[in-house]
Amino acid sequence: MKHLFRALGLLLCILPPAVATVEHFPLWLGRGESALSLLALLLLTLAAIPLFRILRERLKTPSAWLVWFLLWLFLTVSAPILSSVRVIALISFPTSLAGALCFRLAARAERNTE
């Protein structure tokens, strides 16, 4: 019984968030939507390493306007992504709670069999 609860817990914690993620951030581009693949995002991040170093130096003692500008820039760029992440979190939260309950039931079943 404990193995069943563990398997169910894993499925509930992993499968719904993974499906929601793939639904909102497709692995294969070509549905006519504008999106970045994971490889493109990784390569862009690597290319931006010099920019990150400059920003780290500038942000050691940031001025108020620079902090507000960077916050605005981050929120503007990430707004479309954040709306999709909110949906993924909405799907993942209750299913992960159910998965945690299954893990607890598996632990209880294991204690009862000992």
Side-chain angles (χ1 to χ4, degrees):
M1 191 67 144
K2 67 180 177 182
H3 298 296
L4 173 69
F5 284 130
R6 282 190 183 147
L8 188 58
L10 282 173
L11 284 175
L12 286 170
C13 287
I14 295 171
L15 197 58
V19 169
T21 300
V22 170
E23 183 68 27
H24 285 276
F25 298 103
L27 297 176
W28 300 276
L29 304 180
R31 297 197 295 185
E33 299 173 359
S34 170
L36 288 175
S37 69
L38 182 60
L39 179 59
L41 189 59
L42 177 65
L43 292 174
L44 288 172
T45 302
L46 287 174
I49 287 176
L51 175 64
F52 295 147
R53 288 182 178 162
I54 292 170
L55 284 175
R56 186 175 53 217
E57 286 298 315
R58 292 279 293 155
L59 290 176
K60 284 185 178 176
T61 56
S63 58
W65 70 266
L66 181 61
V67 172
W68 285 113
F69 173 73
L70 291 175
L71 180 63
W72 172 82
L73 186 64
F74 171 75
L75 293 173
T76 301
V77 169
S78 63
I81 296 170
L82 290 177
S83 65
S84 293
V85 172
R86 286 181 58 209
V87 172
I88 293 167
L90 179 66
I91 292 168
S92 302
F93 174 66
T95 59
S96 292
L97 278 177
L101 177 64
C102 288
F103 285 129
R104 183 165 293 225
L105 291 172
R108 183 177 292 165
E110 187 174 357
R111 282 193 306 266
N112 289 339
T113 59
E114 292 177 356

